Amino acid sequence: MPTQFNSIRNKKFKSKAVATLQYILFFGLLVNTLNAKITDSIGDVTLHPSVINLEKIKGLKESTIFDLTVNGQNAFVYHSREIMDQYEHIKQLKSISYQGVSYVNFSMSSTVKLQINSLNGKASSWKILPKRADVKVDETTNSIIFTLNKPEKFVISAVVDGLEQSIIISAEKPETNIPSKTDKGVLYLGPGIHQYGQAWDPFVNGIHTVYVAGGAILEATIKSNKKNNVKILGRGILSQSFVTHAEESSSNEKAREQEWDADWLGVVFTDSQNIVIDGITIMNSPSYQLEVANCNNVKINNIKLCGFGEHNNDGIHTYGNTILVEDSFIASNDDRVCITGLFDKENGTDNLQWDGSNELTGVSVSNITLRNMVFWGLDNNGADIMLTWNGAGYAKNILVENAVSLTGTNKAFIAARHGGSADIHDLIFRNITLYHSNLFDVEIGESNYQGAGGGKLRNLLLENFTIHANFKDIGKQLKGESKASNIEGIIFKNIITNDGVLTDLNQIKLISNEFVSNLKAVK
């Protein structure tokens, strides 16, 4: 079980056994007495145990780049696999993912002090995103030190021996939805290694909940079709790099295409409803990290998607109705969130061999909410919000609020390469912070890559944006295709930049055409 740290005022315990007894009496939790520790540090903290035999997991190891202490106690820090040099197409990627990415999560219920140390050489150029003012760099200990007053998700980077290295830190609320081990409908995966392989469907034989405890590594890709009232819970990690990316494993173009279209998704639900995904981390996904396709009533909370080093490594595909994503961190080498698009229709089997037929389709989506999000584009590719890449039907009633975009990419915070037929309308983006200048990269195009064409974008509100850039650097494009496939009705309200509030769209460098109309900037 996780190691627990609890600060109790005006009380000193004489032994570890007494401390454990007090913990049980006060909080009603059974704590392993061999692991329980009581410190005088500030606040209540849950640290997850290290994993024995972690070397069995191809894509993970203990970090040799960074070390983290929380209130003076060591947290176990993972490191995703480094991209190997023989993959020529990967060499274009930045060092952030080429060198692998470190990751750690823990729980806190009050103020904690963090210290991040560099273990592998002298560190310089420390930085933290989202930015904060209370950071101290300690040259003597080769570390960065600061205090957290509430749970947060953020990235710290430093240049170590000439290379930029990064660690994702997820400080989380205490876990409250732990299912019972004795429930026959629960697959309870405790700390340690659990290997289930590719295209695994756990929701059979009465299983309705998969629980991955903190300190547990689940090596699997999950593929579920026509499932209702199911859950994936816990603070553990799903690791998926045992599946090699198609472009890495074959030099033959046709073989790569067939392998790509077989099954390279991390976690995917199709034709399902009433799904809950809470607390988990997905690392090393060979392709799309999490997809809900033609699904209804999905609640996704406190997930950490730590994609790296692969092409088409999207974060979430929200191809359904009434989808809520909250308090989550999405890192990827392609789009962080794709609102609508084409997906594999599936046939409910575990056959991974692609027969060359067109199995892609689209579905109308509505009532998509993304709230309290952190987006990190790892390798200069993709958008934070990809409205669509060839969707179908319609996409309406989209709300994105209280979000932070840490880095710019080759596209933008809001983007589309719309060769599909979807009518995308009634969108609100509110309370957004960009640490870059890439606001829009939207193009309504002709039919493209199995898309039918004829799509459009209308009725979009951008409200309360803080863009850490000057007017002259903000822009990219908004382009329609025709009078029927156009962009219409975008309001820019209270857009704050380094140069002040945007009051005239001529202040920014926005490339447009005659099929874009009714754009307006207001205070």
Side-chain angles (χ1 to χ4, degrees):
M1 294 182 67
T3 301
Q4 306 284 341
F5 299 97
N6 189 37
S7 177
I8 300 179
R9 296 180 180 178
N10 303 318
K11 185 74 175 178
K12 292 184 178 180
F13 298 112
K14 296 182 180 180
S15 70
K16 188 175 295 184
V18 174
T20 303
L21 178 60
Q22 291 290 339
Y23 191 92
I24 295 171
L25 292 175
F26 275 85
F27 296 96
L29 296 176
L30 180 61
V31 176
N32 186 324
T33 57
L34 295 176
N35 289 335
K37 295 181 181 179
I38 304 299
T39 75
D40 293 325
S41 56
I42 301 173
D44 301 341
V45 177
T46 300
L47 300 179
H48 305 305
S50 58
V51 179
I52 299 174
N53 298 323
L54 183 58
E55 65 276 4
K56 292 182 179 180
I57 303 298
K58 178 181 177 182
L60 288 178
K61 63 181 181 180
E62 184 174 6
S63 178
T64 59
I65 308 297
F66 295 106
D67 177 64
L68 170 70
T69 61
V70 185
N71 288 347
Q73 302 296 325
N74 287 319
F76 187 83
V77 180
Y78 295 91
H79 195 79
S80 63
R81 74 172 173 138
E82 294 88 347
I83 304 302
M84 292 178 281
D85 289 339
Q86 65 262 36
Y87 303 140
E88 292 293 330
H89 74 285
I90 294 294
K91 289 185 177 181
Q92 64 182 300
L93 301 177
K94 296 192 299 184
S95 62
I96 288 176
S97 62
Y98 188 88
Q99 299 299 322
V101 180
S102 294
Y103 168 79
V104 63
N105 68 315
F106 61 90
S107 299
M108 55 179 287
S109 59
S110 60
T111 301
V112 296
K113 181 180 179 180
L114 302 187
Q115 180 168 330
I116 299 92
N117 303 297
S118 170
L119 299 177
N120 187 23
K122 181 68 175 177
S124 61
S125 303
W126 287 95
K127 62 182 178 182
I128 180 170
L129 289 174
K131 293 180 180 179
R132 54 191 304 129
D134 62 338
V135 175
K136 175 186 176 183
V137 176
D138 190 331
E139 300 289 349
T140 61
T141 59
N142 209 28
S143 63
I144 186 171
I145 303 168
F146 57 95
T147 298
L148 286 184
N149 295 317
K150 61 181 181 179
E152 297 181 40
K153 294 174 173 63
F154 51 94
V155 176
I156 291 177
S157 64
V159 176
V160 181
D161 290 341
L163 296 174
E164 184 179 18
Q165 304 281 2
S166 298
I167 176 172
I168 300 167
I169 299 177
S170 181
E172 304 168 14
K173 297 177 182 178
E175 192 173 8
T176 58
N177 55 352
I178 303 174
S180 171
K181 289 183 179 180
T182 61
D183 187 337
K184 293 183 180 180
V186 175
L187 178 60
Y188 193 106
L189 304 178
I193 292 173
H194 310 270
Q195 296 173 299
Y196 284 88
Q198 186 179 356
W200 170 54
D201 186 357
F203 301 107
V204 296
N205 301 323
I207 296 296
H208 55 72
T209 299
V210 175
Y211 178 72
V212 187
I217 307 296
L218 168 58
E219 189 178 55
T221 60
I222 294 177
K223 180 180 180 182
S224 290
N225 178 254
K226 296 181 180 179
K227 297 295 161 53
N228 299 327
N229 305 307
V230 296
K231 300 178 180 179
I232 302 177
L233 309 175
R235 301 295 173 87
I237 293 175
L238 275 70
S239 181
Q240 300 167 331
S241 67
F242 64 97
V243 181
T244 305
H245 189 284
E247 292 187 19
E248 294 178 359
S249 59
S250 175
S251 59
N252 180 278
E253 183 176 354
K254 184 176 181 180
R256 285 202 307 268
E257 182 179 359
Q258 291 180 342
E259 189 176 6
W260 171 257
D261 284 347
D263 180 38
W264 304 108
L265 304 183
V267 176
V268 57
F269 288 91
T270 55
D271 303 327
S272 302
Q273 61 183 345
N274 302 327
I275 301 166
V276 175
I277 303 174
D278 192 316
I280 64 168
T281 301
I282 297 177
M283 299 187 74
N284 309 330
S285 177
S287 180
Y288 309 146
Q289 300 178 61
L290 173 59
E291 180 172 277
V292 288
N294 197 29
C295 294
N296 299 318
N297 299 318
V298 180
K299 294 183 179 179
I300 299 171
N301 179 67
N302 185 31
I303 62 166
K304 289 75 60 178
L305 303 184
C306 304
F308 76 104
E310 309 285 15
H311 296 320
N312 297 96
N313 181 235
D314 293 2
I316 302 178
H317 289 178
T318 59
Y319 302 167
N321 295 283
T322 312
I323 312 294
L324 173 62
V325 185
E326 292 187 294
D327 191 28
S328 294
F329 179 98
I330 303 179
S332 71
N333 286 337
D334 209 338
D335 305 321
R336 264 61 72 200
V337 178
C338 194
I339 298 297
T340 188
L342 303 179
F343 64 94
D344 190 338
K345 285 184 287 191
E346 302 291 347
N347 58 12
T349 73
D350 290 332
N351 180 12
L352 305 183
Q353 297 301 315
W354 182 63
D355 63 5
S357 63
N358 180 359
E359 290 293 325
L360 298 181
T361 189
V363 64
S364 293
V365 309
S366 63
N367 300 321
I368 310 296
T369 299
L370 305 168
R371 182 181 292 125
N372 302 327
M373 305 293 295
V374 179
F375 301 120
W376 189 33
L378 290 179
D379 281 299
N380 197 36
N381 193 36
D384 289 323
I385 306 296
M386 175 58 71
L387 297 178
T388 184
W389 196 294
N390 304 320
Y394 59 76
K396 66 179 183 179
N397 300 331
I398 313 301
L399 172 64
V400 181
E401 64 179 355
N402 302 328
V404 179
S405 177
L406 302 183
T407 54
T409 62
N410 66 337
K411 292 186 177 66
F413 175 68
I414 302 172
R417 284 294 181 273
H418 197 353
S421 59
D423 179 4
I424 304 172
H425 61 93
D426 297 331
L427 306 96
I428 297 174
F429 291 80
R430 179 185 293 132
N431 303 332
I432 309 295
T433 299
L434 307 184
Y435 286 98
H436 56 85
S437 61
N438 293 357
L439 179 58
F440 273 118
D441 190 3
V442 177
E443 183 176 3
I444 311 297
E446 297 177 346
S447 59
N448 180 30
Y449 186 55
Q450 304 178 11
K456 60 180 63 180
L457 172 64
R458 56 193 175 91
N459 300 340
L460 171 61
L461 171 65
L462 279 64
E463 183 177 15
N464 300 336
F465 272 58
T466 299
I467 304 177
H468 291 273
N470 297 323
F471 283 143
K472 66 181 181 62
D473 298 319
I474 299 171
K476 283 209 169 180
Q477 66 177 352
L478 285 169
K479 289 184 176 181
E481 168 64 22
S482 66
K483 289 183 178 179
S485 297
N486 63 343
I487 298 173
E488 181 178 8
I490 301 179
I491 298 176
F492 300 76
K493 184 176 181 180
N494 192 34
I495 309 300
I496 301 171
T497 75
N498 292 346
D499 293 326
V501 179
L502 180 68
T503 58
D504 186 335
L505 292 180
N506 291 323
Q507 293 172 299
I508 61 178
K509 298 173 63 175
L510 194 61
I511 300 171
S512 188
N513 64 10
E514 68 270 30
F515 305 121
V516 179
S517 61
N518 296 328
L519 307 184
K520 181 170 62 174
V522 297
K523 290 185 178 181

